C-alpha cells in the first residue's frame, strides 16, 4: 500500500511566522503535489514536483514555496504566514502523473492567528 | 482554462436511496476522469477512474460512473446508499494532452446519509 504521511495533523501559527509543512511518501514516486482544500472551492494545486530539486507552480503559488531535496520528501513553506492561508493542506504523490491516480496524505489543518 | 463543476454541494439521503452526483468539465479533448472520496477524518482516496474504453466504470463500494463525452459529464451513481457512504466526494479531471499531468478538482459534494 502506498503511504503518504504529513508531519502534523493540526498546526497553529502566528501571522508572520515561517511555516514548514512536510510530506513523505514511501513508494519511490517521482511526482509529488501540494494542494489546499477550502470549503466550496475543492482542492487547488499550489506546487508540484516531478523530480528531485525540480518544482513547478500550480494554480495558486503566491505566498508559498517548496523544497524537494530528496525523492521521498516534499516540503511546503509559508515564508510569512497570513490569516488567509488558514486552510487544510494536502500532499499527494504518484508514480506517473500522466497515467496513474494520485495518492493523498491525511492533511494538515493549519490555522494562522 | 479547464474547470470542473459539481452541481450538488450538499446532498441528504436516507439509507437505501439511490445516489447520483453530477460532474461536468469544460475541456473538449482527451481527458482522464476521477472520483475521489473523503470520509470524515480520513484522507482522500480513489473511488474510480476513467481513462479509455467502456464509458461505464465500476469502482469500489458499489459505486459506478458514466462518461458521456457529448455532455462533458462524468456522473457518480450508487443504487442504494448506506450510512457509511457519508463523506465528501470530489470529481477531478486531467487534461490528456497536458504536459503537466495535473488534476483539476471540482468544488466537492458533501453527502449525508440518514440511517
Amino acid at each position: 500500500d502506498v503511504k503518504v504521511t504529513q508531519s502534523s495533523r493540526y498546526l497553529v501559527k502566528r501571522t508572520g511566522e515561517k511555516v514548514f509543512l512536510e510530506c513523505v511518501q514511501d513508494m519511490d514516486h517521482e511526482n509529488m503535489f501540494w494542494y489546499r482544500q477550502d470549503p466550496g472551492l475543492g482542492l487547488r494545486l499550489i506546487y508540484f514536483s516531478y523530480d528531485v530539486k525540480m518544482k513547478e507552480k500550480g494554480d495558486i503559488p503566491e505566498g508559498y514555496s517548496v523544497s524537494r531535496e530528496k525523492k521521498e520528501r516534499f516540503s511546503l513553506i509559508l515564508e510569512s504566514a497570513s490569516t488567509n492561508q488558514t486552510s487544510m493542506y494536502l500532499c499527494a504523490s504518484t508514480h506517473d502523473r500522466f497515467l496513474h491516480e494520485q495518492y493523498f496524505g491525511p492533511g494538515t489543518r493549519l490555522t494562522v492567528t | 482554462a479547464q474547470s470542473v463543476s459539481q452541481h450538488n454541494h450538499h446532498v441528504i439521503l436516507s439509507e437505501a436511496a439511490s445516489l447520483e452526483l453530477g460532474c461536468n468539465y469544460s475541456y473538449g479533448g482527451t481527458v482522464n476522469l476521477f472520483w475521489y472520496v473523503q470520509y470524515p477524518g480520513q484522507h482522500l482516496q480513489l473511488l474510480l477512474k476513467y481513462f479509455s474504453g467502456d464509458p461505464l466504470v465500476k469502482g469500489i463500494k458499489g459505486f459506478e460512473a458514466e462518461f458521456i463525452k457529448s455532455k462533458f459529464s462524468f456522473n457518480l451513481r450508487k443504487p442504494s446508499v448506506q450510512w457509511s457512504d457519508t463523506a465528501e466526494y470530489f470529481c477531478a479531471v486531467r487534461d490528456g494532452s497536458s504536459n503537466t499531468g495535473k488534476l483539476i478538482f471540482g468544488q466537492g459534494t458533501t453527502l449525508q446519509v440518514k440511517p
Side-chain angles (χ1 to χ4, degrees):
Chain A
D1 263 1
V2 175
K3 194 153 189 187
V4 181
T5 56
Q6 295 183 229
S7 50
S8 308
R9 290 301 299 269
Y10 300 95
L11 210 52
V12 180
K13 295 292 182 181
R14 292 187 180 273
T15 301
E17 278 193 82
K18 190 168 185 176
V19 182
F20 293 87
L21 303 182
E22 306 285 339
C23 174
V24 177
Q25 48 90 9
D26 66 357
M27 284 301 292
D28 202 35
H29 285 169
E30 287 79 12
N31 303 274
M32 297 186 74
F33 306 79
W34 275 107
Y35 295 89
R36 63 178 282 176
Q37 180 183 2
D38 299 289
L41 297 177
L43 278 71
R44 292 178 292 165
L45 182 64
I46 304 171
Y47 267 97
F48 68 100
S49 168
Y50 51 86
D51 202 350
V52 175
K53 297 193 185 293
M54 304 301 289
K55 59 185 179 185
E56 292 281 344
K57 290 181 180 179
D59 299 314
I60 52 163
E62 297 78 19
Y64 304 94
S65 62
V66 290
S67 171
R68 185 123 181 247
E69 296 296 318
K70 292 186 178 182
K71 192 175 186 180
E72 67 271 17
R73 187 180 297 269
F74 191 35
S75 303
L76 180 70
I77 303 156
L78 286 67
E79 295 289 343
S80 177
S82 63
T83 54
N84 63 13
Q85 292 178 310
T86 290
S87 187
M88 172 70 89
Y89 289 88
L90 299 179
C91 176
S93 75
T94 186
H95 172 62
D96 186 323
R97 67 185 188 274
F98 299 105
L99 296 177
H100 298 154
E101 66 267 30
Q102 294 179 16
Y103 296 88
F104 285 83
T108 295
R109 185 166 293 282
L110 172 67
T111 302
V112 183
T113 61
Chain B
Q2 271 197 63
S3 64
V4 178
S5 178
Q6 293 181 238
H7 318 297
N8 321 97
H9 298 295
H10 197 151
V11 174
I12 302 173
L13 294 173
S14 298
E15 275 194 314
S18 64
L19 170 73
E20 181 160 4
L21 301 182
C23 174
N24 285 90
Y25 59 93
S26 62
Y27 183 68
T30 303
V31 291
N32 305 141
L33 299 157
F34 306 82
W35 275 98
Y36 281 87
V37 62
Q38 188 173 34
Y39 298 104
Q42 295 189 28
H43 62 273
L44 223 65
Q45 55 188 285
L46 184 71
L47 263 182
L48 47 79
K49 60 186 178 184
Y50 172 80
F51 279 33
S52 63
D54 189 343
L56 185 61
V57 180
K58 296 201 182 297
I60 60 171
K61 306 189 181 190
F63 285 91
E64 64 179 32
E66 186 174 11
F67 169 52
I68 303 179
K69 191 174 182 179
S70 60
K71 295 185 177 180
F72 301 93
S73 71
F74 190 56
N75 292 355
L76 181 71
R77 299 194 293 245
K78 186 170 184 179
S80 176
V81 295
Q82 300 172 312
W83 177 78
S84 58
D85 293 324
T86 294
E88 191 160 18
Y89 293 80
F90 294 93
C91 180
V93 174
R94 181 165 59 209
D95 175 356
S97 63
S98 162
N99 61 0
T100 68
K102 69 178 187 179
L103 298 182
I104 307 294
F105 283 84
Q107 307 93 319
T109 297
T110 301
L111 172 65
Q112 184 182 351
V113 180
K114 294 185 173 180

